Amino acid sequence: MKLALISSLIAGAAAFAPAPVAKTSTALNKVAFNPEMAGEVFDPMGFGKMHEIKGAFPNMFPNPQFLEESEIKHGRMAMLAWTGVWATESGLHFPGAPVADDWTTALGVWAREDPGGFGIVLLLLSIAEGEGVSHAGDNFRGVSKKTPGDMGFDWMGMTKKLSADKLERYQTVEKKNGRAAMIAMASLFAMKAIPGSVPIMDMLGAN
């Protein structure tokens, strides 16, 4: 079990990268730091082009603005979730916070035992969701004036210290690690829901 926790914490820590302010874009363009795909955006199913389908109802499919925003957002949540799961499973908890027997029941325990704190966090998440999706324009239709992933939260001024090339590299790193974290969280849910479905977890002694 210790080996599993150590391995997972290392993976979780590596999943974090700065969330920089990106250049405004309305399409899925080539990126310089993606050698695996020769600089091309990985979109084998063509989701980023569905909004161009002729004959479909207007605004039936999302614009790439929406897809990119969603990917970045869910990647960030997955990175936080992955680290949170293994941190709490290792015995790390905020002082005074409710403690659940299992991470799969922690949300319900928190909401039941600390409704005030749960409500505040839920409110903040709702505000962030509104800011990310529609406050600066409807990105589902591709009319948002906001750069996907840019929440305007850079209180340390990290992006101002980076060159354009390094900024682009960090943007790509964040996306890749977010994708890895989403796959990792999916594996955790699968492990809990279907015992034996993730063999590597059994090999590492996770439960």
Side-chain angles (χ1 to χ4, degrees), residues 77-99:
M77 289 191 294
M79 287 188 281
L80 288 170
W82 174 260
T83 304
V85 166
W86 292 110
T88 54
E89 287 294 303
S90 300
L92 300 175
H93 302 279
F94 287 110
V99 178

Side-chain angles (χ1 to χ4, degrees), residues 6-207:
I6 292 173
S7 301
S8 301
L9 284 173
I10 292 173
F16 283 94
V21 179
K23 296 174 289 185
T24 302
S25 63
T26 57
L28 300 178
N29 302 316
K30 287 188 176 182
V31 293
F33 298 96
N34 194 9
E36 298 90 337
M37 299 296 151
E40 297 288 343
V41 172
F42 181 72
D43 186 20
M45 302 295 291
F47 293 127
K49 298 180 179 179
M50 289 195 303
H51 68 294
E52 300 174 353
I53 296 176
K54 295 182 179 180
F57 289 108
N59 304 314
M60 181 176 181
F61 298 109
N63 186 274
Q65 278 187 347
F66 179 86
L67 297 177
E68 189 173 4
E69 180 80 38
S70 298
E71 179 182 31
I72 294 172
K73 175 178 63 179
H74 287 95
R76 290 169 179 169
M77 289 191 294
M79 287 188 281
L80 288 170
W82 174 260
T83 304
V85 166
W86 292 110
T88 54
E89 287 294 303
S90 300
L92 300 175
H93 302 279
F94 287 110
V99 178
D101 295 330
D102 188 89
W103 65 268
T104 57
T105 62
L107 186 64
V109 172
W110 181 28
R112 183 174 63 253
E113 297 186 10
D114 182 20
F118 180 82
I120 291 173
V121 172
L122 188 61
L123 175 62
L124 293 175
L125 289 175
S126 299
I127 294 173
E129 178 70 11
E131 172 66 21
V133 174
S134 61
H135 177 69
D138 188 356
N139 57 16
F140 193 91
R141 294 183 297 150
V143 296
S144 176
K145 299 178 182 178
K146 171 181 168 297
T147 300
D150 177 16
M151 302 300 293
F153 184 73
D154 185 22
W155 59 277
M156 295 182 67
M158 296 177 64
T159 58
K160 297 178 181 178
K161 304 174 184 178
L162 301 174
S163 65
D165 287 344
K166 187 167 288 188
L167 186 62
E168 185 179 10
R169 178 181 182 278
Y170 278 132
Q171 291 167 354
T172 305
V173 166
E174 181 185 32
K175 285 184 181 179
K176 289 180 179 179
N177 288 323
R179 292 164 186 164
M182 286 188 279
I183 293 173
M185 284 307 301
S187 73
L188 288 182
F189 282 110
M191 176 190 72
K192 286 290 187 177
I194 310 173
S197 61
V198 188
I200 190 171
M201 290 296 188
D202 295 331
M203 293 170 58
L204 293 173
N207 54 43

